[in-house]
Amino acid sequence: MPMFSYPFMQNAYLVGTLIAIVAGIVGVFIVARSMSFLAHTLSEIGFAGASFGLFMGWNPLIGMLIFSIFASTTIGQLGIKEDRSESLISSVSGVAIGLGIAFLSLSQKNASAATGILFGSIFSISTSNIFEVIILAMLVLVLVMLLFRQLRHFAFDYSTAVFSLKNITFIQVAFLVIMATTVAVSAQVVGSLLIFILMTLPASAAMRLGRTVWQMIGLSIFFAILGVWLALVFSYWTNVPVSFYIAIIEAGIYFLSLAWTQRR
């Protein structure tokens, strides 16, 4: 029986494609603003949030959203200044991993629950989770479209945006909320430990090949979708987690883009 005849594969491709689009778009702004390290940290904070959700008996996505949005906006309000960002983010990252382990231990859930949080569980995603992902993904896309010009200025030319954008604080907080929501949504595919791969590697490759912002966004979406689609096929054939193949494929695309730009 063809794999696309199974409802779980249809759901996986629907959710995976939507998440790849969101991660591909937001990732360009993350990489342009040099916030890849923060995206990595938010993935670890998301792990703590999802573990807390399990501990409280909630949907892990809710816990991940709460922790990610609170942490991203808090770090943003503290400034994310170049001279202290690495120390601040490293400290938060360490605390988040510790909290995640503690909440998982206290929740007394089985190993499959922990594996789902860490590495994603797209093949077992429920109908209610699908609607949650669709709503959150659409919310992110609408916010990006409404604030596109300001976000482009903020991400690609921050030094002048500080002086020319009157609502720079609002844009920064909005961007951090968009990033945090994307982290929570993307965890459905790649898990909390590897979210930053889907959010940064396709965008990094696209920014080496694209000449305009729209070209970068288009290429980033293409690379993200390609990675997710191929990973789903390989995972179905081999029964190896999707996140493993996404990491390998996206890293391969990035190294190919690196080699291509060095040859020009």
Side-chain angles (χ1 to χ4, degrees), residues 6 11 16 52 63 70 92 101 151 235 244:
Y6 294 109
N11 293 337
F52 178 73
F70 175 77
V92 173
I101 294 172
L151 289 175
S235 179
F244 166 75

Side-chain angles (χ1 to χ4, degrees), residues 1-3 9 14 55 59 67 84 90 101 103 117 134 161 163 174 182 192 194 203 209 224 232 242 260:
M1 180 180 288
M3 65 178 182
M9 285 300 296
L14 171 63
F55 171 68
N59 183 336
F67 272 55
R84 66 182 181 184
S90 297
I101 294 172
F103 286 133
I117 292 175
I134 291 174
F163 301 102
T182 304
S192 61
L194 297 176
L209 302 175
L232 287 172
V242 175
W260 175 263

Side-chain angles (χ1 to χ4, degrees), residues 30 34-50 64 67-76 80 84-100 176 179-180 183-184 191-197 199-200:
I30 292 173
S34 300
M35 284 188 170
S36 298
F37 192 30
L38 178 57
H40 174 67
T41 300
L42 285 179
S43 68
E44 294 163 348
I45 293 171
F47 164 60
M64 188 173 290
F67 272 55
S68 298
I69 292 176
F70 175 77
S72 65
T73 52
T74 300
I75 294 173
I80 315 184
R84 66 182 181 184
S85 60
E86 292 188 2
S87 298
L88 173 62
I89 293 174
S90 297
S91 300
V92 173
S93 177
V95 172
I97 293 175
L99 286 174
L176 291 168
M179 186 193 303
V183 165
S192 61
L193 290 186
L194 297 176
I195 295 171
F196 67 96
I197 290 176
M199 293 178 64
T200 59

Side-chain angles (χ1 to χ4, degrees), residues 228-242:
V228 170
W229 283 4
L230 290 177
L232 287 172
V233 173
F234 294 150
S235 179
Y236 175 81
W237 287 343
T238 62
N239 201 31
V240 174
V242 175

Side-chain angles (χ1 to χ4, degrees), residues 206-247:
M207 292 184 70
R208 289 187 169 275
L209 302 175
R211 295 185 177 181
T212 68
V213 176
W214 283 111
Q215 285 180 358
M216 294 173 189
I217 290 175
L219 286 171
S220 180
I221 293 173
F222 173 73
F223 293 150
I225 291 177
L226 180 64
V228 170
W229 283 4
L230 290 177
L232 287 172
V233 173
F234 294 150
S235 179
Y236 175 81
W237 287 343
T238 62
N239 201 31
V240 174
V242 175
S243 55
F244 166 75
Y245 287 114
I246 289 178

Side-chain angles (χ1 to χ4, degrees), residues 6-18:
Y6 294 109
F8 74 88
M9 285 300 296
Q10 297 170 6
N11 293 337
Y13 267 90
L14 171 63
V15 172
T17 301
L18 189 56

